[in-house]
């Protein structure tokens, strides 16, 4: 976003924030001119009328506008050696994720309230559910890496790397859909 308006990383000061509560307080006290944070924090600040969202990557449309395509973020990550050494554990984790993603396609707010640990609500169930509703459509329904996801990530990362360094990376070697594909078949996702 900085690059799109002609700024460099050195043109801004980054402020580490200890947690969501600290982020909300710092923003409300005017200690920050802008914030890039996760939900439910952004939804909370929106509901308070404390901020105007300029770029929203909580939706597939917003991600496409900001990054030029889908940008994988929340995913299972493991070294290739782990996948090779522990294929059953790797498959079990993928099964759990795909099964949960399939369940989330039809789960309603009351279903979610029943299974999400209380600490995730941060004392405000309605806020959590509002934030959940904002991001829900951006989740893959079957756990598969979007076809253009790795290329979008590489384009974004290339802005911060030595010129040409990411061009030497074979993107097909940076992810696998094998485990998700098996889970998708198992759970008919």
């Amino acid at each position: 976003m900085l690059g799109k308006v002609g700024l460099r990383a050195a043109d801004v000061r980054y402020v580490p924030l200890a947690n969501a509560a600290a982020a909300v307080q710092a923003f409300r006290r005017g200690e920050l001119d802008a914030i890039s944070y996760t939900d439910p924090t952004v939804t909370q600040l929106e509901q308070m009328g404390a901020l105007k969202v300029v770029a929203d990557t909580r939706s597939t449309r917003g991600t496409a506008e900001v990054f030029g395509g889908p940008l994988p973020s929340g995913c299972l990550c493991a070294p290739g050696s782990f996948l090779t050494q522990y294929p059953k554990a790797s498959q079990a984790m993928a099964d759990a994720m795909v099964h949960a993603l399939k369940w989330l396609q039809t789960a309603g707010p009351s279903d979610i309230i029943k299974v999400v640990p209380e600490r995730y609500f941060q004392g405000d169930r309605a806020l959590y559910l509002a934030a959940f509703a904002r991001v829900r459509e951006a989740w893959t329904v079957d756990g598969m890496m979007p076809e253009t996801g790795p290329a979008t990530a590489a384009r974004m990362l290339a802005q911060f790397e030595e010129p040409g360094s990411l061009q030497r990376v074979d993107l097909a070697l940076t992810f696998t859909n094998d485990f998700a594909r098996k889970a998708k078949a198992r759970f008919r996702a």
Side-chain angles (χ1 to χ4, degrees):
M1 291 306 301
L2 294 172
K4 286 183 178 183
V5 295
L7 295 172
R8 298 180 322 263
D11 294 331
V12 298
R13 184 173 59 94
Y14 296 91
V15 179
L17 301 163
N19 54 45
V24 169
Q25 290 305 314
F27 196 82
R28 293 194 71 210
R29 286 193 301 256
E31 296 170 11
L32 308 171
D33 295 318
I35 189 168
S36 176
Y37 216 83
T38 58
D39 258 333
T41 304
V42 173
T43 297
Q44 181 179 9
L45 288 166
E46 280 182 298
Q47 289 178 350
M48 294 172 153
L51 65 75
K52 177 180 187 253
V53 174
V54 180
D56 194 344
T57 59
R58 294 173 290 181
S59 68
T60 53
R61 179 180 178 200
T63 302
E65 289 171 359
V66 172
F67 300 115
L71 183 69
S73 59
C75 57
L76 289 174
C77 300
S81 59
F82 181 90
L83 301 178
T84 302
Q85 187 173 359
Y86 302 104
K88 288 182 182 178
S90 300
Q91 187 62 59
M93 288 187 285
D95 286 354
M97 291 300 291
V98 170
H99 194 237
L101 287 166
K102 181 179 179 183
W103 177 79
L104 283 169
Q105 296 306 306
T106 58
S110 63
D111 298 316
I112 293 164
I113 292 293
K114 289 176 192 171
V115 299
V116 172
E118 190 67 35
R119 69 182 180 279
Y120 281 63
F121 301 131
Q122 300 175 352
D124 191 337
R125 289 179 176 192
L127 173 63
Y128 181 90
L129 291 172
F132 174 81
R134 296 291 304 261
V135 301
R136 187 178 203 160
E137 65 89 14
W139 293 344
T140 176
V141 298
D142 58 9
M144 301 286 283
M145 171 68 75
E147 188 175 316
T148 58
T152 302
R155 274 193 317 276
M156 192 260 320
L157 290 172
Q159 298 175 48
F160 305 100
E161 298 294 327
E162 177 184 315
S165 65
L166 288 173
Q167 292 174 347
R168 296 186 297 267
V169 175
D170 182 354
L171 294 178
L173 299 177
T174 65
F175 73 98
T176 180
N177 272 330
D178 293 346
F179 296 101
R181 196 174 291 110
K182 288 177 186 173
K184 180 179 175 178
R186 177 177 180 198
F187 295 108
R188 297 184 185 101

